Amino acid sequence: MLCNKTGNCSERRTSRQQITMQSQPLARIGLGPVRLGLLGRERQNVLCYSSIAGIEKVPMSKFEPSEYVNDRYKAIEDRLKVVRKRLNQPLTLAEKIVYGHLDDPETAEMKRGVSYLKLRPDRVAMQDATAQMAMLQFISSGLPKTMVPSTIHCDHLIEGTTSPQPDREGSFGGEADLKHAVTSNKEVYDFLATAGSKYGVGFWRPGSGIIHQIVLENYAIPGLMMIGTDSHTPNAGGLGVCAVGVGGADAVDVMAGLPWELKAPKVIGVKLTGKMSRWTSPKDVILKVAGILTVKGGTGAIVEYFGPGLDHMSCTGMATVCNMGAEIGATTSIFPYNKRMHDYLVATGRASAATLADAFKEHLRADEGATYDQLIEINLSELEPHINGPFTPDLAHPLSKFAEELRKNNWPTELKAGLIGSCTNSSYEDMARAASVARQALSAGIKAKVPFTISPGSEQIRATIARDGIMDVFDKIGGTVLSNSCGPCIGQWKRTDVPKGEANSIITSFNRNFAARNDGNPATHAFVASPELVTAYAIAGDLTFNPEKDTLVGADGKEIKLEAPFGDELPARGFDAGANVYQAPPESLNERSKLSVKVDPASQRLQLLSPFKPWNGDDIKDSVVLIKVRGKCTTDHISMAGPWLKYRGHLDNISNNLLIGAINIANGKPNAVKNVVTGEEGPVPATARDYKARGLSWVVVGDENYGEGSSREHAALEPRHLGGVAIIVKSFARIHETNLKKQGMLPLTFANPADYEKIDPTDCISIEGLKTFTPGVPLTLVGKKADGTSYSFPVNHTFNENQINWFKNGSALNAMAAAFKAGKM
């Protein structure tokens, strides 16, 4: 696909040809393996290893003084020597890091998009909503301590408010919200803190900040690999980390010392040229890429950025791009190591890590001649600011055309709220650029015309912007500073200004904008843009306003035009760490062994897990269809967040939100399905429970990219818990498909997508071929109509031998327990 300067695109598919990069249009895409031009000597067969021998030992972080980066770098070098000898070809940066973490590089098959790799990540990070289930699963493993450095971050359970609240003594905003969260979530926080201490997991207290900002500030080191139980874990790619979002079961495997399994990703190259100017920001790069690739265009691939444009982008700006790469379905996104990363490491107190990375830089960039599966080129000098939405993050609009699109589609143009911050855009630079816009308005006597909220990414960011006067600017413009947490970005917003069901528009600097995502109102039109653009819109109160050409009217009646935003990349006076918000686990195993982690059997927030039943050895016979889903079905549709977050540690309670957001094709309504036994219409979870009580297994039938969005494994645990056996769809999002496999479910896809139309919600479904379940061999779906007629067609799966073992044991956790019992681990 080739895009000209106006954004008009025409598609071109090529075979294995070399695409040179002479011209530099706004965006250009080529499909098929793409080889970087050989600008220097051919290094295909040359082993160019940077020596780190003799360099002082560098801790993985200041909190892990006995774990060293040097050891990880040495292991990467050793593995890459084997990989280069076997592959005998130039490597992309993604391949260097991924293959540099192979469990067994001597024997591993390495074919992009085909092979299943067993990898050894260096770190695990968990946010508090998903950590509950992950730690409950880890406890059941019986291990005394995690085998890799791991952390828990309390960021998801804090509800944001922007108006006086009775349950906060008439207060609202950051301090009141944090105080309320500490009290209302005490049981969960105590569990996580105690479990962390007992099993050697670092614990970041409520108010410490958002997991991804904390990781960037403290743990991200170029060239390392980490997994996190949040879909926006790729944020760390802005500091050269191969960081992948996973479900809790994957985290448990790695914490237990098992290799982590990942299908060898394809690699999409994005070449950046030129330099951003005026209102264009790093956020606009990923908004543009999302418009090109769509929400599933990156599935099964790592997006690797390169080119001279990188020299003009901050480290935190690169993190923004990687963070929102989750919205195109990418396994992760990554940038090569450069001076901007070096400077960020130094600014965050990790100068020794920067020095080590400098010496290791040969492994922190792609080889010349490296081949990409797809290539996109973006000229930053010509890139416009973008606004994406509503209802999907890949509906991209250049600023110059946004007002026209609003009118054409009859979207509400009156703005009701502007929200900045979140894990995507809450760096010092983001806050400084937004404040520069606000200062201009204040100098003209103008304040925000709509509610305007600010979510600092971490305690360090909050303390630093408070010291430097940025917080004061936001306060004077009429903003509400929320706690250092996710807040409205994940639906933790106690919004009171607009009734549910009323159409309205909001604009955020967040990453995700599915229906009802931010405020629980499916009629809210949520748009996504950079923090500085959101700030300008909050001041104008009108989405048709274009800050690049339109004017505002000051208090004196004179028109003013906003100048382009500016903000320091890093604080001139250094970062202020703020309050102490970290709890380290005891170093002594003896001390940890004395700790106990208790879960009250009567608790409504936490519930110990019982193993799922293993496969019964037979085909699936006569399952009912719980729901046939029409259209988009994200993990928010399958297992909503917002008020349901408090039940993330209690599987039975949270299962009461199963698929309540999915649209039933039979009636066009959410959370309303017909019980095929009683004939009554009822909520999806209640109907599933009734089937389970009657001993009836059930399946779900779905559309494209089923399960896109969050990494939440509850969207896989809940159907398993309530008696589901298979999810049959046109295509899956990567993380959700893996999560379903981990819990013993059958994620299946139509061999012919048109077969979706053959299934009626009243059909009985059988799945044949399980007795000879084999990788690469389709299963057979047999459907019976109410009139007695039947049909059959093949359904595909992506199970390998190890994953089939999960299915047969009932879950991956069961398989791990069986291996422990058999002495095979």
Side-chain angles (χ1 to χ4, degrees):
M1 182 177 288
L2 298 181
C3 299
N4 61 27
K5 293 182 180 180
T6 63
N8 296 320
C9 301
S10 61
E11 188 167 291
R12 183 179 77 188
R13 295 185 180 271
T14 62
S15 58
R16 291 187 64 93
Q17 69 179 74
Q18 182 171 321
I19 296 182
T20 58
M21 296 176 289
Q22 302 295 325
S23 60
Q24 297 173 356
L26 172 62
R28 185 171 74 183
I29 313 172
L31 298 180
V34 181
R35 190 169 184 171
L36 281 174
L38 301 184
L39 304 178
R41 61 192 172 95
E42 172 65 61
R43 297 189 293 175
Q44 180 170 336
N45 299 314
V46 179
L47 301 182
C48 302
Y49 288 106
S50 305
S51 175
I52 58 171
I55 296 180
E56 182 181 355
K57 288 279 189 179
V58 177
M60 291 276 282
S61 77
K62 64 183 179 182
F63 307 108
E64 296 144 345
S66 59
E67 298 276 354
Y68 298 108
V69 180
N70 309 60
D71 298 334
R72 272 71 177 181
Y73 277 2
K74 178 64 167 59
I76 291 171
E77 275 194 342
D78 291 343
R79 290 168 176 139
L80 286 180
K81 288 178 183 177
V82 177
V83 169
R84 286 189 181 279
K85 185 176 180 180
R86 291 184 59 200
L87 294 183
N88 192 33
Q89 66 186 36
L91 301 177
T92 63
L93 171 60
E95 288 173 311
K96 286 183 179 183
I97 301 180
V98 171
Y99 298 159
H101 285 82
L102 284 167
D103 182 50
D104 184 3
E106 296 279 1
T107 61
E109 181 185 59
M110 293 170 281
K111 293 181 180 179
R112 292 187 201 166
V114 177
S115 309
Y116 278 92
L117 307 176
K118 290 186 179 296
L119 304 168
R120 291 288 181 178
D122 302 297
R123 175 177 298 285
V124 173
M126 300 170 280
Q127 41 96 334
D128 50 356
T130 51
Q132 297 171 60
M133 196 60 68
M135 291 308 296
L136 286 166
Q137 291 178 84
F138 183 80
I139 289 170
S140 68
S141 75
L143 293 175
K145 183 183 183 298
T146 58
M147 304 300 287
V148 300
S150 303
T151 50
I152 294 169
H153 303 261
C154 295
D155 62 358
H156 269 57
L157 301 181
I158 305 172
E159 183 184 52
T161 59
T162 52
S163 60
Q165 302 295 320
D167 58 4
R168 291 158 173 77
E169 299 177 342
S171 297
F172 64 94
E175 290 186 14
D177 296 339
L178 178 59
K179 182 179 178 182
H180 180 262
V182 169
T183 301
S184 61
N185 299 313
K186 185 178 186 304
E187 180 184 12
V188 172
Y189 290 149
D190 286 349
F191 166 74
L192 292 174
T194 307
S197 292
K198 184 171 182 62
Y199 297 104
V201 179
F203 179 72
W204 288 85
R205 300 185 184 96
S208 58
I210 305 172
I211 176 173
H212 312 304
Q213 184 68 26
I214 295 293
V215 166
L216 199 71
E217 293 172 354
N218 296 276
Y219 298 114
I221 301 289
L224 298 189
M225 172 180 280
M226 67 170 289
I227 61 171
T229 60
D230 189 277
S231 57
H232 294 105
T233 299
N235 189 82
L239 201 39
V241 179
C242 182
V244 184
V246 299
D250 278 345
V252 172
D253 283 352
V254 175
M255 290 192 294
L258 298 176
W260 169 56
E261 189 172 77
L262 177 72
K263 195 170 191 177
K266 294 184 177 181
V267 186
I268 298 173
V270 179
K271 184 182 182 183
L272 301 180
T273 61
K275 182 179 181 180
M276 294 177 293
S277 63
R278 295 191 56 75
W279 287 82
T280 303
S281 75
K283 183 65 166 277
D284 300 304
V285 174
I286 186 57
L287 293 176
K288 177 67 177 178
V289 171
I292 294 169
L293 290 177
T294 77
V295 291
K296 63 176 184 176
T299 302
I302 292 178
V303 180
E304 182 174 314
Y305 293 83
F306 65 96
L310 272 58
D311 296 334
H312 308 292
M313 191 181 297
S314 67
C315 175
T316 52
M318 296 182 220
T320 291
V321 175
C322 292
N323 179 293
M324 198 173 165
E327 309 324 317
I328 58 174
T331 300
T332 192
S333 301
I334 196 165
F335 282 79
Y337 180 68
N338 65 7
K339 187 179 185 303
R340 309 305 274 268
M341 295 185 190
H342 174 106
D343 292 346
Y344 185 79
L345 286 170
V346 172
T348 50
R350 294 174 286 171
S352 60
T355 299
L356 188 65
D358 289 343
F360 198 66
K361 62 185 179 183
E362 182 69 23
H363 304 299
L364 303 177
R365 62 191 180 202
D367 292 336
E368 291 180 14
T371 300
Y372 293 98
D373 296 283
Q374 184 174 351
L375 179 68
I376 298 171
E377 290 185 55
I378 297 177
N379 186 341
L380 299 178
S381 299
E382 299 173 352
L383 178 65
E384 273 195 73
H386 274 62
I387 303 95
N388 286 23
F391 305 123
T392 184
D394 58 353
L395 187 57
H397 315 285
L399 175 60
S400 62
K401 298 182 179 180
F402 184 46
E404 176 188 340
E405 288 296 317
L406 286 163
R407 298 185 183 103
K408 184 173 72 175
N409 291 283
N410 200 30
W411 296 327
T413 59
E414 179 188 1
L415 186 64
K416 290 295 186 179
L419 305 94
I420 67 171
S422 86
C423 64
T424 316
N425 279 110
S426 58
S427 67
Y428 184 84
E429 181 183 35
D430 288 326
M431 297 293 105
R433 283 174 64 88
S436 76
V437 176
R439 283 192 186 96
Q440 296 178 59
L442 287 172
S443 67
I446 306 172
K447 289 192 173 185
K449 288 187 172 56
V450 299
F452 178 51
T453 71
I454 302 93
S455 297
S458 68
E459 170 61 10
Q460 178 167 280
I461 292 296
R462 185 211 61 78
T464 305
I465 65 173
R467 180 201 66 194
D468 292 352
I470 293 174
M471 192 93 79
D472 187 49
V473 173
F474 291 143
D475 182 60
K476 289 178 179 178
I477 201 76
T480 299
V481 178
L482 301 179
S483 63
N484 313 323
S485 64
C486 302
C489 183
I490 58 158
Q492 286 283 46
W493 182 14
K494 197 172 185 179
R495 190 180 184 192
T496 57
D497 62 304
V498 174
K500 190 171 182 179
E502 180 179 304
N504 72 104
S505 287
I506 65 173
I507 190 165
T508 81
S509 69
F510 303 161
N511 42 41
R512 202 164 276 162
N513 61 343
F514 303 135
R517 165 78 178 183
N518 302 127
D519 61 359
N521 181 3
T524 293
H525 294 59
F527 297 92
V528 178
S530 67
E532 49 267 48
L533 208 54
V534 172
T535 304
Y537 279 121
I539 293 166
D542 182 358
L543 287 177
T544 64
F545 175 71
N546 182 342
E548 289 201 319
K549 65 177 185 179
D550 296 336
T551 58
L552 299 169
V553 179
D556 59 2
K558 295 180 180 179
E559 292 188 352
I560 69 159
K561 186 172 181 295
L562 294 172
E563 296 295 326
F566 172 81
D568 288 337
E569 177 178 341
L570 297 166
R573 298 163 58 192
F575 284 108
D576 183 337
N580 180 17
V581 286
Y582 177 73
Q583 173 186 297
E587 292 186 13
S588 164
L589 176 61
N590 182 54
E591 188 176 351
R592 291 198 304 273
S593 66
K594 295 176 182 178
L595 298 173
S596 60
V597 181
K598 296 180 180 178
V599 175
D600 184 350
S603 172
Q604 295 301 301
R605 298 289 299 273
L606 297 165
Q607 180 186 46
L608 293 175
L609 297 174
S610 298
F612 291 130
K613 292 181 179 179
W615 176 54
N616 64 7
D618 203 353
D619 288 336
I620 292 170
K621 298 176 181 177
D622 296 326
S623 293
V624 297
V625 177
L626 175 64
I627 182 172
K628 183 178 181 181
V629 178
R630 185 187 74 194
K632 186 183 285 284
C633 191
T634 71
T635 48
D636 281 301
H637 293 87
I638 303 168
S639 177
M640 285 188 177
W644 292 95
L645 284 169
K646 61 178 173 284
Y647 298 123
R648 285 281 181 87
H650 197 294
L651 180 55
D652 193 58
N653 281 346
I654 200 169
S655 293
N656 288 323
N657 77 357
L658 174 66
L659 287 160
I660 61 175
I663 301 301
N664 182 3
I665 198 170
N667 55 24
K669 296 188 291 186
N671 201 27
V673 294
K674 182 179 179 180
N675 187 313
V676 297
V677 177
T678 66
E680 298 175 354
E681 186 176 275
V684 179
T687 305
R689 287 185 186 276
D690 183 71
Y691 290 156
K692 182 180 180 181
R694 296 175 186 273
L696 284 174
S697 62
W698 51 263
V699 304
V700 171
V701 179
D703 214 315
E704 296 279 5
N705 209 29
Y706 184 91
E708 70 173 283
S710 168
S711 67
R712 66 192 66 154
E713 66 178 335
H714 299 79
L717 282 161
E718 292 174 34
R720 181 76 161 102
H721 176 65
L722 293 186
V725 291
I727 311 293
I728 309 153
V729 301
K730 294 179 182 178
S731 65
F732 282 103
R734 175 190 63 86
I735 299 176
H736 187 59
E737 181 181 20
T738 300
N739 285 345
L740 288 167
K741 292 178 183 178
K742 286 274 186 177
Q743 303 308 332
M745 293 285 290
L746 282 173
L748 305 172
T749 56
F750 297 102
N752 179 2
D755 288 337
Y756 168 88
E757 305 296 339
K758 294 180 179 178
I759 301 177
D760 289 324
T762 54
D763 293 353
C764 283
I765 304 297
S766 298
I767 306 294
E768 298 178 349
L770 291 175
K771 293 179 181 179
T772 56
F773 200 2
T774 306
V777 178
L779 300 172
T780 299
L781 183 150
V782 178
K784 293 180 183 178
K785 300 287 185 184
D787 62 6
T789 61
S790 64
Y791 55 89
S792 68
F793 52 77
V795 284
N796 295 332
H797 66 85
T798 61
F799 282 80
N800 60 25
E801 290 287 1
N802 187 44
Q803 294 166 345
I804 290 173
N805 187 48
W806 300 344
F807 171 76
K808 290 180 176 179
N809 278 275
S811 71
L813 195 62
N814 288 359
M816 183 173 73
F820 270 126
K821 187 175 181 180
K824 296 179 180 179
M825 292 180 59

